Amino acid sequence: MSRSEDATSAWRGTPTVWRKLAIGIVLILIWELAARWVDNDLLLPGAAATAHAWWSSLLNGELVARTATSLWVLLRGYALGVLCAFVLTSLAMTTAVGRDLLSLLTGMFNPLPSIALLPLALLWFGLGTGSLLFVLVHAVLWPLALSVASGFDAVSPTLRMIGRNYGLSGLRQVAWILTPAALPSVLSGLRVGWAFAWRTLIAAELVFGANTGAGGLGWYIYQNRNELYTDKVFAGLLTVILIGLIVEHLVFDTLARVTVRRWGMQTV
């Protein structure tokens, strides 16, 4: 076996968390070297300067307050989007009209960027949380509905027949047969919906910040960009990334590990 093959085997044998940590450290070093080469903190602050700005904003409470504001809005919008997606897909699985409605609506609205609806949301709901919730529901609803419907359609006819033999039909079949059997697709849709909602919220808050001078992380980034505190802008972006990683690995990976992977429905 060659040295390259030995190195590859050793790398694969290392726990995933340590492999990702090593890659992260390399990326941070590249970032710091690039910042030193540019030598202009206004254009590209280094990793150390960004970490200092992040820690300072954390200690004075500003970053915590902005993050809490964003997460509270996000959780409500995400929950509403998930609820609407399951109602729509359940209707599609139980009636022909519902299936046609789901196909038409997803074809119409899934390609439409959520942020493009923000002007209408501002017109209908005003400068407030209602507008943010509207665009968040749009961001979550369509990709999740497509993923869940695809998973439901892939469920074995044998399982459906077993459910009917036990008297399960309509919503009861969706709850007790289709949803457990399509859980990998459901979890995948929840991941995608979360990612869409998170980035849509930050983008929408940038617009809200420009209009009202208030908001969450998006406003924090916008405000510091206007005041030319680029290190704080990077600190805000770093917070967005960290929250995304935490939710992805501590929430969705854990949920997948204790369900579909444990049950043998997913191997990776």
Side-chain angles (χ1 to χ4, degrees):
M1 184 177 292
S2 65
R3 292 184 178 180
S4 61
E5 291 176 340
D6 289 340
T8 301
S9 299
W11 176 260
R12 290 177 178 174
T14 306
T16 303
V17 62
W18 293 112
R19 298 203 307 263
K20 292 183 177 180
L21 182 61
I23 294 173
I25 292 173
V26 171
L27 293 176
I28 291 172
L29 289 175
I30 293 173
W31 172 17
E32 184 66 29
L33 291 173
R36 292 177 182 272
W37 181 74
V38 173
D39 195 24
N40 187 337
D41 287 342
L42 184 61
L43 294 179
L44 182 63
T50 299
H52 181 267
W54 184 84
W55 184 248
S56 299
S57 296
L58 196 67
L59 289 180
N60 64 28
E62 182 182 11
L63 197 54
V64 174
R66 299 298 187 189
T67 302
T69 299
S70 291
L71 289 179
W72 174 233
V73 175
L74 177 70
L75 289 175
R76 286 182 287 170
Y78 184 71
L80 284 172
V82 170
L83 178 62
C84 291
F86 273 93
V87 169
L88 191 58
T89 50
S90 297
L91 184 64
M93 293 299 109
T94 53
T95 65
V97 174
R99 180 175 290 275
D100 292 338
L101 179 65
L102 175 63
S103 177
L104 177 62
L105 292 180
T106 52
M108 290 170 55
F109 294 117
N110 191 48
L112 185 64
S114 299
I115 201 66
L117 293 176
L118 190 56
L120 282 178
L122 292 172
L123 180 63
W124 292 341
F125 302 104
L127 294 172
T129 305
S131 297
L132 289 175
L133 293 178
F134 179 78
V135 295
L136 285 177
V137 169
H138 179 273
V140 175
L141 172 55
W142 310 116
L144 177 56
L146 278 174
S147 183
V148 173
S150 176
F152 285 174
D153 287 336
V155 173
S156 168
T158 304
L159 285 178
R160 297 172 186 266
M161 188 178 300
I162 292 173
R164 287 194 294 270
N165 289 338
Y166 279 95
L168 300 178
S169 61
L171 294 178
R172 294 177 64 196
Q173 186 183 64
V174 171
W176 295 104
I177 299 295
L178 298 183
T179 300
L183 197 54
S185 294
V186 173
L187 290 179
S188 177
L190 289 173
R191 284 179 187 263
V192 173
W194 152 261
F196 279 19
W198 187 221
R199 67 189 187 189
T200 297
L201 176 63
I202 299 302
E205 283 183 341
L206 287 169
V207 178
F208 270 75
N211 284 281
T212 67
L217 274 174
W219 166 240
Y220 174 87
I221 295 169
Y222 181 88
Q223 183 184 38
N224 285 294
R225 173 261 183 190
N226 281 346
E227 297 175 2
L228 298 180
Y229 293 135
T230 313
D231 55 346
K232 290 187 177 182
V233 172
F234 272 70
L237 295 174
L238 177 62
T239 305
V240 173
I241 293 171
L242 289 175
I243 292 174
L245 288 173
I246 289 171
V247 173
E248 179 73 18
H249 294 293
L250 293 186
V251 177
F252 289 115
D253 278 357
T254 300
L255 188 58
R257 186 171 61 253
V258 301
T259 54
V260 294
R261 293 177 189 169
R262 174 178 291 180
W263 302 336
M265 302 173 70
Q266 193 177 67
T267 57
V268 179

